[in-house]
Amino acid sequence: MADQDKNKIALRIASIAKTKLASVVRVLLEKLQQDEQVTNELKVAASNTLVTLARCYFNDVMSELRCHLNLPEEFILVTLGNLSSAYALKCIRFVRMTLYDMDCMLELVNDSRMRQAFCGVLEKWSRAVNFYFTNWEKCSFRRMDASQFCDPILPIYAHVTSNWLTCEEPELKQAIIKALGPMMSLLLHKEGHQDQLFKPISWLLEQYKENTDVFHITKSLSQLLEVSGEYKIPLPKTVSSHLQCSAQPGTEPDSGESGESA
């Protein structure tokens, strides 16, 4: 489709949305969930349109997306992730409810593509929360406590790290690696989670020996160090020494016994 035609359609959608927003959002959500005969290009276009509409109608778009989380679909999750990337602070009031919704659908997320999309949401929403921690004063509502974010994400983090780290698919493994850093950085803000929090560290370090993009490994590990330093949250000595080693460009941590964002 020519760019000129795309622009006409975009303007038409925006015009209809002024008076029939619910109908527009419903049609776009239907496009996200149509079966295989619909091309991904159309689903991407519908997803991007929803994210754009959210600039003016954030609460409406977000509420409709949450209503569709009971039956997981890849592009619903993709859109949810992109929404938090575009409007991090607007998402904050929905974080707790959305994470509880995602926790309820965990057992239904079985295939690799769905797990990749799920990890994408975890990565981007965790980044949004970490961004909020340093920019909370820009929000019009009262400051939210770290436990309001940590408590609902902890069981999801536990499920992912307990059940998905044995995956062999490179794309899924990379999606998990990219999500772990922001999630660990978020959970670091609340005491009492450290034992569970640091379990995947050894798995992340092992990925340096695999045919994996080391950039995302190092980025996830570096995020944990940055949050620890910024908020003066102490890390166990063995964990800290390994992370400092891994954070050095071109350095691969040793395999000896010595010896997580926005």
Side-chain angles (χ1 to χ4, degrees):
M1 186 183 295
D3 288 341
Q4 185 176 2
D5 294 328
K6 290 181 182 178
N7 290 336
K8 288 180 180 178
I9 292 175
L11 290 172
R12 180 62 177 156
I13 291 173
S15 176
I16 297 173
K18 290 180 180 179
T19 56
K20 299 181 179 180
L21 177 64
S23 298
V24 172
V25 173
R26 184 174 63 250
V27 170
L28 291 169
L29 285 169
E30 288 173 357
K31 297 299 181 186
L32 293 185
Q33 300 172 87
Q34 285 183 352
D35 59 28
E36 297 301 326
Q37 68 184 11
V38 178
T39 64
N40 278 352
E41 184 179 3
L42 182 57
K43 291 186 177 184
V44 170
S47 176
N48 290 342
T49 304
L50 281 167
V51 173
T52 301
L53 283 175
R55 180 177 299 172
C56 297
Y57 311 106
F58 183 85
N59 289 354
D60 301 273
V61 173
M62 184 66 217
S63 297
E64 285 296 324
L65 275 173
R66 285 191 58 239
C67 290
H68 289 77
L69 281 178
N70 58 328
L71 294 174
E73 206 286 335
E74 180 184 0
F75 275 87
I76 292 292
L77 294 175
V78 169
T79 306
L80 192 62
N82 290 340
L83 207 61
S84 69
S85 293
Y87 315 106
L89 296 181
K90 288 185 178 181
C91 284
I92 294 302
R93 286 188 287 185
F94 291 89
V95 169
R96 190 176 180 88
M97 296 180 291
T98 302
L99 289 174
Y100 281 132
D101 291 338
M102 293 180 67
D103 187 27
C104 292
M105 64 181 270
L106 259 176
E107 297 300 330
L108 302 175
V109 183
N110 296 317
D111 65 82
S112 179
R113 287 185 64 88
M114 280 298 300
R115 288 182 175 182
Q116 288 178 54
F118 195 92
C119 286
V121 177
L122 294 177
E123 175 200 352
K124 292 172 182 177
W125 278 70
S126 295
R127 288 186 185 281
V129 174
N130 283 307
F131 181 75
Y132 169 75
F133 284 150
T134 55
N135 295 274
W136 63 268
E137 71 281 355
K138 296 179 182 178
C139 294
S140 58
F141 48 89
R142 67 178 179 81
R143 187 173 185 177
M144 299 174 69
D145 186 77
S147 62
Q148 293 179 271
F149 308 109
C150 295
D151 291 346
I153 202 172
L154 184 61
I156 303 176
Y157 178 83
H159 181 93
V160 171
T161 56
S162 298
N163 299 285
W164 296 3
L165 297 188
T166 56
C167 71
E168 297 298 331
E169 301 92 336
E171 294 83 3
L172 176 55
K173 186 176 291 188
Q174 180 165 294
I176 295 171
I177 290 169
K178 291 170 69 175
L180 281 179
M183 284 196 293
M184 287 191 293
S185 299
L186 191 168
L187 288 169
L188 195 61
H189 286 82
K190 186 177 180 184
E191 295 181 4
H193 295 330
Q194 277 73 5
D195 289 343
Q196 197 166 357
L197 170 62
F198 297 131
K199 286 181 179 179
I201 295 291
S202 58
W203 179 83
L204 273 173
L205 295 174
E206 283 295 317
Q207 301 313 303
Y208 278 108
K209 303 174 184 177
E210 305 293 331
N211 187 22
T212 308
D213 186 346
V214 299
F215 170 78
H216 294 297
I217 304 171
T218 302
K219 185 174 181 180
S220 279
L221 295 172
S222 297
Q223 284 175 325
L224 190 58
L225 280 174
E226 290 169 5
V227 171
S228 172
E230 182 177 356
Y231 291 92
K232 297 179 174 57
I233 304 172
L235 298 175
K237 186 175 181 180
T238 52
V239 171
S240 182
S241 62
H242 265 296
L243 294 185
Q244 288 171 355
C245 178
S246 68
Q248 298 301 316
T251 302
E252 179 178 321
D254 62 46
S255 56
E257 295 182 357
S258 62
E260 124 172 37
S261 163

